[in-house]
Amino acid sequence: MPGKSQEKEKLIDKEGKRVDGRQLDELRPIKLEVGILSSADGSAYIEQGKCKILAAVYGPREAHPKHLALPDRALLQCRYHMAPFSVEERKSPAPSRREVELSKVIRESLEPAVFLEYYPRASIDLFIEVLQADGGTRCAGITVAALALADAGIPMKDLVVACAAGKADGKLVLDLCDSEDKLGEADVPVAFMPTLDAITLLQMDGNLTLEEFEQAVNIALTGCKQIYKLQKEALKAKYVALKEATE
Ligand code: ADP
């Protein structure tokens, strides 16, 4: 894509370490928390490196606007939004074309996991608020949104977990940060349902050979599987804490 700069910035040093000190196949540190908002039906929070994202779910509830209601299944409505203070230069709070596109992409990557047919004419409303962005917000947004849906008690076939792989300084790397995303050669975000072994999102930005593309998808999937474990732990942690509080 035109934004992919070919600048000769050093993204990988002589020791093979990345700009933030990570190995090529290393995820950013991840923190996940479930059920943090009392007024939403479901909620979750993720920190992935410097990214900080909150997801809230309302529903299933009556669809608004009503004419959007579907006769045979629930409508999943998703709004991905970046806070004005989430990036260095103030971002306009009005939805940008990128946010409209990402809202659609995230919705489509989650829909296969939800039993939408259980709630005809209803709406499940999902809000993803990026509080701080540092690359890979669509993937972290999907990971945290799936947790918020599960926290809302919405029946799901599987969790959805997402992670990107890409190419920086000629090397394939896992979980790109902002500078790798902007200055690197390629970015391949993947969303995955681990139990069903099904990919629900596969995009590519930049240039890769067919062989590199296949390797990048596999690297992204290894990241997804690691994050999936953290998702399950975060869900469990909420119920362990609830149990302890009632004992
Ligand atoms: P993703 O966040 O899924 O990687 P993009 O590739 O479109 O999506 O964006 C990459 C990164 O660019 C974002 O994570 C964020 O750090 C940065 N970014 C996006 N929009 C803006 C903006 N309006 N101003 C500054 N940085 C931005």
Side-chain angles (χ1 to χ4, degrees):
M1 87 155 203
K4 290 280 164 202
S5 155
Q6 298 301 311
E7 282 172 53
K8 290 275 168 270
E9 287 240 357
K10 263 261 161 270
L11 292 172
I12 296 174
D13 69 15
K14 282 193 203 107
E15 275 106 58
K17 290 258 177 76
R18 296 157 67 180
V19 277
D20 50 12
R22 279 184 292 156
Q23 303 288 347
L24 302 184
D25 61 350
E26 193 178 338
L27 288 170
R28 291 174 283 183
I30 295 177
K31 184 182 141 192
L32 282 166
E33 219 173 310
V34 170
I36 56 162
L37 302 174
S38 55
S39 46
D41 295 320
S43 59
Y45 173 70
I46 187 169
E47 283 181 16
Q48 186 159 351
K50 291 187 213 149
C51 285
K52 296 184 180 186
I53 306 175
L54 193 57
V57 170
Y58 292 89
R61 63 181 181 182
E62 198 177 331
H64 284 287
K66 269 192 181 159
H67 68 88
L68 292 178
L70 301 168
D72 58 341
R73 64 193 156 97
L75 182 70
L76 181 62
Q77 303 200 82
C78 171
R79 189 189 79 156
Y80 163 100
H81 180 249
M82 278 189 17
F85 48 80
S86 63
V87 282
E88 238 163 77
E89 202 165 306
R90 180 187 177 275
K91 185 208 147 278
S92 159
S96 63
R97 279 181 56 175
R98 173 180 172 274
E99 286 166 300
V100 172
E101 185 203 322
L102 287 197
S103 299
K104 175 179 180 286
V105 160
I106 293 172
R107 171 174 58 75
E108 288 176 351
S109 68
L110 292 165
E111 273 173 343
V114 182
F115 284 102
L116 293 171
E117 62 274 26
Y118 287 3
Y119 305 103
R121 308 204 58 78
S123 175
I124 297 167
D125 303 327
L126 167 63
F127 297 88
I128 297 171
E129 286 292 320
V130 180
L131 307 176
Q132 191 167 284
D134 186 46
T137 59
R138 87 193 56 201
C139 289
I142 291 166
T143 299
V144 72
L147 279 181
L149 286 166
D151 184 45
I154 290 167
M156 293 167 79
K157 296 164 201 171
D158 199 352
L159 281 172
V160 184
V161 54
C163 188
K167 192 174 169 188
D169 276 354
K171 296 261 184 354
L172 293 177
V173 293
L174 177 64
D175 188 20
L176 287 80
C177 64
D178 192 45
S179 53
E180 292 171 332
D181 186 312
K182 296 214 167 89
L183 305 170
E185 297 94 297
D187 177 22
V188 181
V190 178
F192 180 58
M193 294 192 289
T195 311
L196 299 175
D197 196 23
I199 287 175
T200 63
L201 167 81
L202 181 54
Q203 294 186 298
M204 189 176 95
D205 190 2
N207 293 311
L208 291 176
T209 64
L210 183 58
E211 199 180 315
E212 284 172 335
F213 174 72
E214 283 174 6
Q215 284 173 2
V217 173
N218 284 327
I219 292 169
L221 287 175
T222 61
C224 287
K225 287 171 190 163
Q226 292 174 59
I227 302 171
Y228 179 52
K229 285 191 190 142
L230 303 177
Q231 273 182 319
K232 286 192 291 186
E233 279 169 22
L235 269 176
K236 252 188 239 162
K238 176 184 165 178
Y239 292 100
V240 169
L242 272 178
K243 190 167 172 272
E244 281 170 3
T246 52
E247 274 170 4

